[in-house]
Amino acid sequence: MHTFSPPKEGKLHITLPVLLLIVSFMGVVYTKVSSQIPDFIPQFISVASIALAIQIITRYSLTRFIYEVRDDERLFKTFKVTGKKSTLTGAIEFDDIIAIEKKDKNVNLKEKYGKSFRSFNFCNNIFPKDAYYLILNVNGEDITVLIEADQAFLEIISGCRPA
């Protein structure tokens, strides 16, 4: 059994919510000071900023993913860990993996494969450096799973796939 958890990179998962909360506070102050635009616009921006900040904090600051490769079961498992709670978020059979593609802004999977995919993101970082798509076909459904992996762990995954 092999496990891997991508390390958190930088402080974007902390600074971005702080900036959004500052924008929210500025929107509240602006509604009290200025009467040039209707109150609901800055209030809407404030509420949306708070909601987005909470989403980023819960998804990227408080949560991490752990990947596990089980050679004996021929499974790739992902676990979502929030505090002390660990939840199995995916169990992928290696036979279902069609391809592994490096995430690149110039590559559009829908154009490349000629079909649309149901997507899942199991990355620990907002903008991951070493992200890869696991392209799957599970019971006739086309799925992509975005993971972060170093080269050694990617070789383990590739080595377990059928030839």
Side-chain angles (χ1 to χ4, degrees):
M1 178 174 73
H2 307 278
T3 60
F4 179 73
S5 180
K8 299 275 187 185
E9 298 171 356
K11 299 290 181 200
L12 187 61
H13 63 280
I14 295 170
T15 56
L16 193 55
V18 168
L19 290 174
L20 288 168
L21 292 174
I22 290 170
V23 166
S24 173
F25 178 73
M26 289 172 53
V28 170
V29 170
Y30 187 78
T31 58
K32 301 294 181 192
V33 174
S34 178
S35 62
Q36 293 178 352
I37 60 173
D39 287 348
F40 72 90
I41 294 173
Q43 289 172 352
F44 174 77
I45 292 171
S46 294
V47 170
S49 297
I50 290 171
L52 188 57
I54 291 171
Q55 172 69 23
I56 291 170
I57 289 169
T58 56
R59 169 62 176 84
Y60 292 102
S61 295
L62 302 176
T63 302
R64 68 185 176 97
F65 287 95
I66 298 174
Y67 312 136
E68 182 179 280
V69 172
R70 300 195 130 213
D71 303 0
D72 54 338
E73 297 177 6
R74 304 221 10 95
L75 286 175
F76 173 77
K77 293 182 177 182
T78 58
F79 295 91
K80 178 181 174 181
V81 179
T82 306
K84 294 181 181 179
K85 182 181 176 185
S86 178
T87 307
L88 176 67
T89 54
I92 301 167
E93 293 181 18
F94 286 111
D95 296 336
D96 293 337
I97 300 175
I98 296 169
I100 300 174
E101 296 271 346
K102 179 143 177 72
K103 182 181 179 192
D104 189 6
K105 62 182 175 184
N106 298 329
V107 175
N108 185 337
L109 294 178
K110 186 174 182 178
E111 290 177 6
K112 184 172 182 176
Y113 288 92
K115 51 188 164 184
S116 54
F117 295 91
R118 185 173 176 199
S119 298
F120 296 93
N121 181 344
F122 297 139
C123 293
N124 283 341
N125 294 294
I126 297 173
F127 301 113
K129 284 192 302 190
D130 296 323
Y132 294 89
Y133 288 107
L134 301 180
I135 299 170
L136 315 169
N137 189 309
V138 180
N139 297 327
E141 185 177 8
D142 298 315
I143 300 171
T144 62
V145 175
L146 185 64
I147 63 168
E148 294 177 82
D150 61 1
Q151 196 59 38
F153 193 73
L154 195 64
E155 288 175 11
I156 292 169
I157 295 170
S158 298
C160 292
R161 288 183 51 218

